[in-house]
Amino acid sequence: MIWPRSAASRVPGHRFVSEFVGLVKSSMQEGHSETVVNYRVFVGTWNVGGEAPPDDLDLEDWLDTKAGSHDIYVLGFQEIVPLNARSVLGPKQRSAAMKWQRLIEDALNSRRSVQDGEDATRGAAMDHGQGVFRCVVSKQMVGIFVSVWARSGLRRHVRHPGVSAVGAGVLGRLGNKGAVSVRFLLHDTSFCFVCCHLASGSEDGDAQRRNADAADILSRTSFLYSGGARAPGEMPKKILDHDRVVLLGDLNYRIAMDDAEARQLVRARKWSMLLESDELLLELSAGRQFDGWREGHITFAPTYKYHRNSDQFCWCADGGAIAGRDKKRHRAPAWCDRILWRGKGMRQIRYERCGGYRLSDHRPVRAVFHAVCEVVESKHY
């Protein structure tokens, strides 16, 4: 394939998964031409329940590294530290985030560590400069952590990375709930990824609290330059002003259904019937809080709530009455962990739950997108 000369200096070579789409015949402005390229963007979310990961935790299955077909990874975590007063009110603890960073890097770059901590082997990706993944930006707020990685050869096309954190937990500000948002410019297209942990609970009014949290996050999140200056003119300041936006995380929406009926459907694994009463899908169809957002078709089992180190739902098996603290421990299964998107130029090709990870009472979720990026070149006469 012959690349248009105007784009040759700015579009990565054949080692990337990116796919040349075409040259726009009519330029956006006089004196400019535009090409578009298509990247594969991996988005993952996992509430790890305040559990520290073991040193040998292998993330390669969740991150689908054997396929070797993704250009950018955006990974969001919730509860990487226990949500107690010490974590929320005490000094920042970076050790948990650093440990997850190391596990991510090991998985993406196919590395294994020997007991003394030195690299024992390196995968084939390490032999090619463009195949190695490098962290673009990361940010932690209490238990919420986001980490963005790109192939090293693509890294120079990722510009203006920025972060913004908004607390929505205790007193609406302390950060045990809320969102960490990251944004960047890839070529000439702006991306924003919003990692959320919304209000929990399955009582009357809890869904409205989640709606209020989401509205608050979208309203209050604002991106600034380092040092407090405003964002550059070419970059948006607010979440919804970006070209491509993805919202991921433990959104905590539950099943609005009678307990006995829900229990029967779970036993029969009739997920499609259970999803008819999913609070988030009801919000999306009504076009209220999430007007303009889209979600892929859910074909997987609920992502919450499981016994730790087990594939069994943490729910009373005999169907007896549950009250008080026991009711909180035996919450009905639900699809709490979700990935939504909005904006033209994104097409979701995978949406899955990864059942092999039993570290917490949640299961990780992943989605893969084809994302179109514009490459604008000035014409020289």
Side-chain angles (χ1 to χ4, degrees), residues 108-154:
L108 292 182
N109 292 326
S110 301
R111 299 197 302 187
R112 293 292 181 270
S113 297
V114 294
Q115 192 169 4
D116 63 3
E118 295 180 356
D119 294 332
T121 60
R122 293 175 181 264
M126 300 297 290
D127 296 329
H128 303 286
Q130 296 199 50
V132 179
F133 280 91
R134 302 297 186 195
C135 184
V136 173
V137 62
S138 66
K139 173 67 176 177
Q140 178 186 5
M141 179 185 71
V142 190
I144 304 174
F145 176 58
V146 182
S147 186
V148 179
W149 297 71
R151 294 186 184 273
S152 57
L154 184 62

Side-chain angles (χ1 to χ4, degrees), residues 162-166 178-184 190-196 198 213-224 231 235-248 289-290 293 340-343:
V163 299
S164 180
V166 170
V180 172
S181 301
V182 297
R183 67 92 177 272
F184 53 84
S190 60
F191 286 80
C192 184
F193 297 86
V194 186
C195 180
C196 297
L198 304 184
D213 279 356
D216 191 42
I217 289 164
L218 294 176
S219 173
R220 290 173 51 210
T221 299
S222 184
F223 293 95
L224 302 175
M235 290 297 292
K237 184 179 178 182
K238 306 299 290 185
I239 290 173
L240 298 184
D241 293 333
H242 290 77
D243 299 318
R244 321 276 188 260
V245 185
V246 178
L247 187 145
L248 60 142
Q289 179 55 48
F290 292 94
W293 293 88
L340 313 179
W341 81 95
R342 62 181 292 145

Side-chain angles (χ1 to χ4, degrees), residues 57-290:
L57 180 63
D58 188 347
L59 300 181
E60 289 190 31
D61 182 59
W62 176 34
L63 304 186
D64 193 31
T65 59
K66 292 182 180 179
S69 58
H70 312 302
D71 298 305
I72 292 178
Y73 280 84
V74 180
L75 305 176
F77 298 85
Q78 305 82 44
E79 297 190 41
I80 65 168
V81 296
L83 298 185
N84 52 37
R86 181 177 180 181
S87 299
V88 175
L89 300 175
K92 293 183 179 179
Q93 299 292 330
R94 291 292 298 167
S95 59
M98 291 173 63
K99 190 168 187 178
W100 283 107
Q101 282 285 78
R102 181 183 62 79
L103 292 171
I104 294 167
E105 183 178 15
D106 287 349
L108 292 182
N109 292 326
S110 301
R111 299 197 302 187
R112 293 292 181 270
S113 297
V114 294
Q115 192 169 4
D116 63 3
E118 295 180 356
D119 294 332
T121 60
R122 293 175 181 264
M126 300 297 290
D127 296 329
H128 303 286
Q130 296 199 50
V132 179
F133 280 91
R134 302 297 186 195
C135 184
V136 173
V137 62
S138 66
K139 173 67 176 177
Q140 178 186 5
M141 179 185 71
V142 190
I144 304 174
F145 176 58
V146 182
S147 186
V148 179
W149 297 71
R151 294 186 184 273
S152 57
L154 184 62
R155 178 66 181 84
R156 65 191 179 95
H157 301 290
V158 180
R159 298 177 290 132
H160 302 308
V163 299
S164 180
V166 170
V170 179
L171 303 179
R173 291 293 187 273
L174 292 185
N176 58 315
K177 294 292 195 296
V180 172
S181 301
V182 297
R183 67 92 177 272
F184 53 84
L185 197 69
L186 179 55
H187 295 295
D188 295 289
T189 299
S190 60
F191 286 80
C192 184
F193 297 86
V194 186
C195 180
C196 297
H197 194 184
L198 304 184
S200 61
S202 55
E203 303 297 330
D204 291 342
D206 287 337
Q208 285 69 38
R209 290 173 56 223
R210 289 185 271 277
N211 290 345
D213 279 356
D216 191 42
I217 289 164
L218 294 176
S219 173
R220 290 173 51 210
T221 299
S222 184
F223 293 95
L224 302 175
Y225 246 170
S226 59
R230 285 184 174 272
E234 64 183 295
M235 290 297 292
K237 184 179 178 182
K238 306 299 290 185
I239 290 173
L240 298 184
D241 293 333
H242 290 77
D243 299 318
R244 321 276 188 260
V245 185
V246 178
L247 187 145
L248 60 142
D250 180 2
L251 306 189
N252 253 323
Y253 285 95
R254 309 302 171 91
I255 302 299
M257 181 182 290
D258 175 75
D259 184 82
E261 183 181 359
R263 191 182 303 276
Q264 185 177 4
L265 292 176
V266 169
R267 287 200 189 99
R269 300 181 66 84
K270 294 184 177 180
W271 308 137
S272 60
M273 295 181 65
L274 201 63
L275 280 164
E276 291 177 2
S277 298
D278 177 82
E279 291 175 341
L280 180 55
L281 291 182
L282 294 174
E283 287 292 329
L284 288 167
S285 63
R288 292 190 292 263
Q289 179 55 48
F290 292 94

